[in-house]
Amino acid sequence: MSTEEPSWLDIEEQETWLAMAGMLVRFPAALDAQLQRDAGISHFEYQVLAGLSMTSERTLRMSDLAEFAACSLSRLSHTAKRLEAKGWLTRTPDPSDGRYTLAVLTDAGWDKVTATAPGHVAEVRRLLIDPLTKAQYKQLREIGRRVNDAIGPTGVCPSARTA
């Protein structure tokens, strides 16, 4: 156990951290509330469907989709089961390697994403884009990239992958 004194945050650093911590909690909750109200799905369910919709064949390995959605395979499997029951997603063995399972967005799932996306984008715009100047959201994008790099490797956006 280290006996070194922690490098405590100064006032400006603490204010930055508290503003960010508040945003990290409140922003996803606001997006979830909008999606639940307008589309009857959670933000996480939307992320799963949207991740599949961004691929050329609307298909991803479950492991890649879990990486994109920043979740465990177990959480994704539970969600996939609910989405399958609604007819929005199917799971099938990967024909190129049977050790993997593919998640496939159905036509009904595609319809759900395309019907839900306009309201979701409007809420993202209202909460994130519109309150900021163009320079500020460019800064925020760079800040997000730097923080994510410090956290560690992340997956590639599904649109850049092949199933």
Side-chain angles (χ1 to χ4, degrees):
M1 185 168 164
S2 176
T3 58
E4 280 186 40
E5 182 69 18
S7 178
W8 298 109
L9 302 179
D10 65 28
I11 295 299
E12 186 176 13
E13 292 167 336
Q14 187 176 36
E15 288 174 357
T16 301
W17 162 241
L18 292 175
M20 182 64 155
M23 185 179 74
L24 289 172
V25 171
R26 296 181 70 215
F27 188 69
L31 293 177
D32 198 59
Q34 178 273 319
L35 287 163
Q36 289 284 357
R37 180 187 68 238
D38 296 347
I41 63 173
S42 70
H43 184 241
F44 182 70
E45 290 169 326
Y46 179 77
Q47 283 297 109
V48 169
L49 296 174
L52 290 170
S53 77
M54 290 187 275
T55 66
S56 61
E57 295 182 19
R58 301 182 196 164
T59 302
L60 278 174
R61 283 182 173 170
M62 290 284 287
S63 54
D64 292 337
L65 187 55
E67 191 175 318
F68 169 75
C71 69
S72 68
L73 273 173
S74 175
R75 180 178 185 199
L76 179 59
S77 291
H78 289 293
T79 300
K81 185 176 181 178
R82 284 193 311 275
L83 297 175
E84 279 181 310
K86 294 178 181 185
W88 297 338
L89 177 148
T90 60
R91 290 179 283 180
T92 184
D94 185 339
S96 67
D97 188 339
R99 296 175 296 170
Y100 295 99
T101 300
L102 298 177
V104 182
L105 187 68
T106 65
D107 289 342
W110 174 260
D111 291 344
K112 183 64 174 176
V113 170
T114 58
T116 304
H120 177 65
V121 169
E123 190 71 347
V124 169
R125 178 169 294 288
R126 183 181 78 80
L127 296 173
L128 182 67
I129 302 301
D130 291 347
L132 302 177
T133 66
K134 194 171 208 174
Q136 287 171 325
Y137 63 76
K138 286 179 181 178
Q139 288 173 328
L140 185 57
R141 181 175 59 238
E142 181 59 27
I143 290 166
R145 287 177 179 157
R146 287 179 181 232
V147 170
N148 281 318
D149 286 348
I151 292 168
T154 61
V156 176
C157 179
S159 61
R161 293 185 183 214
T162 57

